[in-house]
Amino acid sequence: MTTKTAAKRDVPVLDPDLRARVADFLADYAHAIDDDRLEEWPGYFTADALYHITTRESDAAGLPIGIMHCRGRGMLEDRIKALRTANIFEPHSYCHILGATRLVDQGASVLSARTNFTVTRTMQDGGTDALRHRQISRRDRGRRRELGAPFAAGGAGVSAD
Amino acid sequence: MWKAFSAPRCARSCAATFSRPLKLLGYHSQIIHNNWKLYAENVRDSYHATLLHTFYTTFKINRLDMDGGIRITDAAQPWHHLSFAKRATLDAAEEYKAAEVHSASYETRLNGPELLEAWNEFDDGITHSIQALFPTLAIQFTLNSLAVRWFTPRGVDKTELFWMYIGYEDDDEAEERMRIMQSNLTGAAGLVSLEDGCINEFVQRGTKGSGQSASAFMEMGGKTVESSEASRATEVAIRGFWKGYREIMGFA
Ligand SMILES: [Fe+2]
């Protein structure tokens, strides 16, 4: 797991320029989702990316199935295709509020970034839910892994969307 | 304990599911904004899967034009049922029609086709099955994805739905990978299941109506609860649930 590797070789990256570039990248990523430019979303990943959303408990237990698991950019593109053409859901919009990005150099061209975020989801009737996540992105020759850990009360807090 | 409870209520295929050492692959829960009984109906409604879940129909995972049926699995208390479908039976029908229409298979256009990589795990040809145990438990096999689903009321119009994903201890790496990939179909963000949360909420709002005293009534065809081995175009499973509910609540 990324977090365990990071604990062993936790060398923070102090280069402000590099950190700013990664933070901008993540902000662009979040804004693409908030602005419903979802077709751009897979482009933030490499062709062999691993995209994994899981819960805090499953991550701690090292369980392979979380909430979403995509291997390769193709599966991310399929998600958007399904969302646009197949899936039935209530229209809604998102707003991501990003925290500071912390970078860790893991050696061997591996850079790990952590950005906590809160995302609000506003439904048709104006009702808004807030979900809190921890996001870990890891750049390993351009690969990217994302770890979202919803932690609402009772272990729940992930809504179908 | 599990055996004592399930044996008389489960289909034999369900008992076989738990006859080997299991391996937990993951679990999570989600909040759905509807009364728990609407979700109980959702589990038992065999029409909506092919009407609502476009992903199932498009990728030919579960369709009413496959061989399938509803088996009431406890004759003494017909509150439990098994719903099943055989994917291969549709493929045959498709070949028959291939010359005229829909020559292109959408499946080949999945950019990440490994999502649906699967192997024939059972020799009875069943590729999709849901064993519902009254009132709030379901054991499902979709291709090779084995999941246990259960739900609990959190208010009149709020239900917590739990998903547990399971494999077997003797799964090889490829088998486990396929189960992990296929888990993307179900769960809180499942390509198929995400629609159930939404549609149940719509039904909740529609049933409640606009006024406090408003109510809705819809009568379905048929009165009895008996197996329908040749077709899933039937409401027997839903009637089975309400039969159980009415008996327990003293409404019968
Ligand atoms: Fe459904």
Side-chain angles (χ1 to χ4, degrees), chain B residues 86-157:
Chain B
K86 301 176 179 183
R87 196 182 189 200
T89 58
L90 178 84
D91 289 345
E94 283 276 315
E95 279 170 16
Y96 174 71
K97 287 185 254 171
E100 296 164 28
V101 279
H102 301 304
S103 52
S105 154
Y106 191 61
E107 189 161 347
T108 59
R109 287 191 280 133
L110 259 188
N111 295 345
E114 53 284 26
L115 180 85
L116 294 179
E117 267 176 29
W119 80 98
N120 279 331
E121 195 155 1
F122 307 102
D123 43 22
D124 56 8
I126 292 176
T127 48
H128 181 83
S129 70
I130 296 176
Q131 169 74 55
L133 287 169
F134 182 91
T136 56
L137 179 67
I139 299 146
Q140 70 181 63
F141 247 115
T142 304
L143 303 178
N144 310 106
S145 176
L146 171 59
V148 179
R149 239 192 297 170
W150 70 98
F151 46 98
T152 190
R154 296 293 185 213
V156 173
D157 53 5

Side-chain angles (χ1 to χ4, degrees), chain B residues 10-210:
Chain B
C10 255
R12 275 233 294 284
S13 60
C14 171
T17 300
F18 295 104
S19 62
R20 292 189 275 152
L22 301 163
K23 184 178 176 184
L24 177 66
L25 297 179
Y27 62 93
H28 66 263
S29 78
Q30 68 184 112
I31 296 293
I32 50 176
H33 299 276
N34 58 261
N35 186 274
W36 69 275
K37 295 190 288 300
L38 275 179
Y39 197 81
E41 280 204 344
N42 184 278
V43 171
R44 291 161 177 82
D45 169 54
S46 42
Y47 294 137
H48 87 277
T50 53
L51 294 170
L52 173 68
H53 300 315
T54 327
F55 204 86
Y56 269 162
T57 15
T58 309
F59 297 103
K60 307 177 187 77
I61 299 165
N62 176 22
R63 288 166 41 153
L64 275 190
D65 51 357
M66 292 169 178
D67 284 356
I70 306 277
R71 189 172 302 157
I72 301 298
T73 49
D74 180 2
Q77 275 183 335
W79 314 345
H80 323 280
H81 82 280
L82 175 83
S83 168
F84 62 93
K86 301 176 179 183
R87 196 182 189 200
T89 58
L90 178 84
D91 289 345
E94 283 276 315
E95 279 170 16
Y96 174 71
K97 287 185 254 171
E100 296 164 28
V101 279
H102 301 304
S103 52
S105 154
Y106 191 61
E107 189 161 347
T108 59
R109 287 191 280 133
L110 259 188
N111 295 345
E114 53 284 26
L115 180 85
L116 294 179
E117 267 176 29
W119 80 98
N120 279 331
E121 195 155 1
F122 307 102
D123 43 22
D124 56 8
I126 292 176
T127 48
H128 181 83
S129 70
I130 296 176
Q131 169 74 55
L133 287 169
F134 182 91
T136 56
L137 179 67
I139 299 146
Q140 70 181 63
F141 247 115
T142 304
L143 303 178
N144 310 106
S145 176
L146 171 59
V148 179
R149 239 192 297 170
W150 70 98
F151 46 98
T152 190
R154 296 293 185 213
V156 173
D157 53 5
K158 194 172 168 185
T159 301
E160 186 167 4
L161 171 61
F162 297 83
W163 298 87
M164 180 180 282
Y165 294 92
I166 293 168
Y168 295 100
E169 270 179 15
D170 60 3
D171 281 347
D172 64 28
E173 213 175 292
E175 289 168 341
E176 186 169 311
R177 192 187 61 239
M178 285 188 251
R179 293 195 209 279
I180 293 169
M181 287 304 175
Q182 293 168 19
S183 74
N184 284 298
L185 296 171
T186 56
L191 285 159
V192 170
S193 311
L194 70 84
E195 295 170 322
D196 290 316
C198 154
I199 215 74
N200 282 329
E201 193 174 338
F202 288 171
V203 176
Q204 174 82 26
R205 288 184 209 159
T207 310
K208 201 174 167 190
S210 48

